[in-house]
Amino acid sequence: MAVASCAGWRLPPDIVLRPIGDGDLPFLSELYASTRWEELAPVPWPEADKRSFLHQQHALQHRHYQAHYADAEFLLLERAGVPIGRIYVHRSPGEIRLMDIALLPQHRGQGLGAALIAELVAEADASHLPVTLHVERHNPAQRLYARHRFRLEEEGDVYQKLRRDPPATSVQD
């Protein structure tokens, strides 16, 4: 079953989604670091070592995603032409997987993440597909996912797999 891309999503007029390119890797690495910085706060490493570690982790994650999800949409979010985040979505006949969503700290908590999730959910509902994702147990985004009716499907050591099923459709005779 072919599923639409993110291209038709209704987002604020100053937000553009575009495919990532090699020139975006430095921004994407900094974005990744911004999502993990607090985790390293208690680690007694110099700041430069923490940054180096996070950039290495991003490089490994990026290679993994590119190798194992080559047909996914890897999109950069821009506001007024300036990169502010990313969303990675993998579509298959059985599900739409939100692989990753991240915004720079100054763009969080303003409703953009909710708008992106709402568009993904609307696409999935129109295609009668579930949306799945993995999220850390204590990630503040858990509240966002709960508002969009994601439920726990599988408990892992670090990550939880969440799932949101499309509304049930009635069969007409």
Side-chain angles (χ1 to χ4, degrees), residues 153-170:
E153 182 174 64
E154 185 178 308
E155 185 78 50
D157 291 337
V158 177
Y159 292 95
Q160 295 177 323
K161 182 178 183 186
L162 303 183
R163 177 185 179 104
R164 186 202 180 272
D165 289 308
T169 56
S170 62

Side-chain angles (χ1 to χ4, degrees), residues 68-157:
H68 296 281
Y69 299 95
D71 58 343
E73 272 191 296
F74 297 96
L75 301 171
L76 190 77
L77 283 82
E78 293 181 331
R79 172 170 272 145
V82 177
I84 64 165
R86 71 180 187 181
I87 184 167
Y88 297 168
V89 179
H90 183 257
R91 294 169 179 83
S92 67
E95 71 177 9
I96 298 176
R97 174 160 299 173
L98 176 58
M99 296 168 48
D100 204 323
I101 183 172
L103 297 168
L104 288 173
Q106 62 269 32
H107 296 278
R108 296 176 195 154
Q110 300 173 19
L112 182 55
L116 291 163
I117 299 296
E119 288 296 318
L120 189 64
V121 163
E123 174 190 330
D125 287 354
S127 300
H128 307 290
L129 291 171
V131 179
T132 63
L133 60 90
H134 286 86
V135 63
E136 290 177 324
R137 189 175 296 107
H138 302 293
N139 187 319
Q142 289 275 11
R143 292 185 305 273
L144 171 64
Y145 301 133
R147 285 196 312 266
H148 287 281
R149 298 187 358 242
F150 282 83
R151 63 172 173 74
L152 179 65
E153 182 174 64
E154 185 178 308
E155 185 78 50
D157 291 337

